[in-house]
Every structure is written in C-alpha cells, then in structure tokens.
C-alpha cells in the first residue's frame, strides 16, 4: 500500500505554517527580549533575564501540555494550533534572545560610547549602531534556532495537531509500514532543515560580501 500523499502534503502544510508563523513571532519577541537585557533599566534587565532562564530550562512538551489543558480552565479559549504557535513563539524567543545577545556582545563598546557621546538616545544606539552589526553576526546561529523550531513542531502531535509527525503516526496505524512511513517523513524534515541551513548560509555570505 502506498503512502496517501494528500494526507502527507496537508500535514506538511500545517508544519510549514506553524514553523513560519512561530519563526516570525519568535524573532520579533526574542529581539525585544535582547533589547530589554541590554537596557539601562535594571527592572527590564532582570525581567528579560528571568524570561530567558525560565524558558531555556523548562521542557517544551511540559509547556505545551500546560497551555493546552490549563488555559481553557483559566477561561482563555484558543484553537489548539494557535496555542501551539503561541507556546513555540514564547519558547523559541528565549533562544533567539540568547543568539542575538551573543551578537550584541561582538559590537565594540567604543562604538556604543561614541554614539552616546554624540547625543544618541538608547533607542537610536540600538537601532543604528548595535542591531545592524549584531544581527549580521548571528545569521547562522539564528538559522540553527529556526531548525530547532522546525523539529520542535513535531511535539504538536502530542496535543492533537495534525502536522507531519502526527500524520505519519496515523498513516502507519493504517498501512503498518513504519520503515517506509518514517523514512519518508524523516527525509522531509531533513530536506526542510537543510533548506533553512542553506538560506542562512547564503544570507551570511551575502552580508560578509557587503561588508
């Protein structure tokens, strides 16, 4: 019995949607967390540090199960797929923040002090001096974070979202060909991960040439 391609493609579409939306959200939120971590306000720095430490030290599966089962009891009802995206965003944002912060650390302190000396505000320093250099330095690390995000979408199967891993389990239950099913699905994940890696590599080379 052959694989039902319509089910595979539908599940692949769900995986891609979750990955892309969560990637955009985590990049934005993670960058904001990084800004808070280098802020001159101790309260913001402490809050951002606590955020990162919490999410990098709590298993994603535990967060997914907590969100899916606890949020409805708290009166917050959302589609399960949206809940998964939100959890992935806040979880991966912690890793994005760490990656971007490593880029911030590559910016020479003298440049920041010079910018302040000419009267630039904190926001202007971040936007015009720190961010452009920091983001250029962390393209490949961010690519690795996005690959991890792609792989983490498989955990959505544990809460009932029909993405690639969930579809593979269902298909295997029908046709009972685990080697074929999981080799094909594994190859799809590998192809997607390699694509992300290639895109990150090309962006990194283009930025290096531009500099």
């Amino acid at each position: 019995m052959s694989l039902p391609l319509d089910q595979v493609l539908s599940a692949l579409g769900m995986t891609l949607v979750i990955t892309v939306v969560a990637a955009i959200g985590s990049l934005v939120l993670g960058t904001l967390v990084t800004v808070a971590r280098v802020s001159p306000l101790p309260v913001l720095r402490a809050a951002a540090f606590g955020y990162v430490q919490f999410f990098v030290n709590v298993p994603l599966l535990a967060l997914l199960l907590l969100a899916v089962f606890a949020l409805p009891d708290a009166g917050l009802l959302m589609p399960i797929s949206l809940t998964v995206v939100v959890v992935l965003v806040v979880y991966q944002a912690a890793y994005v923040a760490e990656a971007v912060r490593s880029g911030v650390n590559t910016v020479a302190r003298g440049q920041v002090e010079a910018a302040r000396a000419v009267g630039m505000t904190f926001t202007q320093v971040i936007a015009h001096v720190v961010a452009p250099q920091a983001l250029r330095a962390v393209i490949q690390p961010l690519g690795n974070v996005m690959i991890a995000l792609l792989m983490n979408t498989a955990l959505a199967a544990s809460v009932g979202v029909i993405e690639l891993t969930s579809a593979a389990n269902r298909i295997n239950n029908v046709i009972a060909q685990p080697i074929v099913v999981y080799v094909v699905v594994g190859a799809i994940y590998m192809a997607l991960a390699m694509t992300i890696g290639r895109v990150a590599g090309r962006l990194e080379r283009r930025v290096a040439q531009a500099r």
Side-chain angles (χ1 to χ4, degrees):
M1 185 181 295
S2 61
L3 289 178
L5 291 180
D6 57 335
Q7 295 183 41
V8 174
L9 292 176
S10 176
L12 174 60
M14 175 60 73
T15 292
L16 291 175
V17 168
I18 293 175
T19 301
V20 171
V21 176
I24 295 172
S26 61
L27 286 171
V28 173
L29 180 57
T31 302
L32 292 176
V33 171
T34 302
V35 172
R37 290 202 70 176
V38 299
S39 166
L41 299 178
V43 174
L44 284 181
R45 291 200 304 271
F49 175 79
Y51 177 94
V52 171
Q53 291 302 308
F54 176 80
F55 285 106
V56 300
N57 289 295
V58 176
L60 176 57
L61 180 58
L63 294 173
L64 281 171
L65 294 174
L66 179 64
V68 169
F69 295 108
L71 290 182
D73 289 341
L76 184 57
L77 300 176
M78 293 189 296
I80 294 180
S81 57
L82 178 57
T83 301
V84 168
V85 169
V86 170
V87 172
L88 284 172
V89 167
V90 297
Y91 179 81
Q92 294 293 151
Y95 292 89
V96 170
E98 286 293 273
V100 175
R101 190 171 69 92
S102 69
V104 170
N105 291 335
T106 67
V107 180
R109 189 174 184 83
Q111 295 186 38
V112 176
E113 293 175 349
R116 290 176 177 172
V118 299
M120 294 180 70
T121 64
F122 172 76
T123 302
Q124 290 173 327
V125 171
I126 292 295
H128 300 294
V129 178
V130 176
Q133 298 183 68
L135 292 176
R136 282 198 297 264
V138 297
I139 292 175
Q140 194 61 57
L142 285 177
N144 294 335
V145 173
M146 295 303 106
I147 291 174
L149 167 60
L150 168 67
M151 301 307 171
N152 284 337
T153 61
L155 291 177
S158 64
V159 293
V161 177
I162 310 301
E163 43 67 65
L164 203 52
T165 298
S166 176
N169 293 335
R170 294 188 174 202
I171 292 170
N172 182 59
N173 288 337
V174 174
I175 68 175
Q177 296 183 24
I179 295 178
V180 173
V181 171
Y182 292 111
V183 165
V184 169
V185 170
I188 293 174
Y189 276 116
M190 183 177 69
L192 293 175
M194 291 178 64
T195 299
I196 295 173
R198 281 178 171 270
V199 170
R202 287 185 179 181
L203 285 175
E204 190 174 45
R205 288 193 293 272
R206 286 187 179 182
V207 168
Q209 293 172 358
R211 295 170 65 182

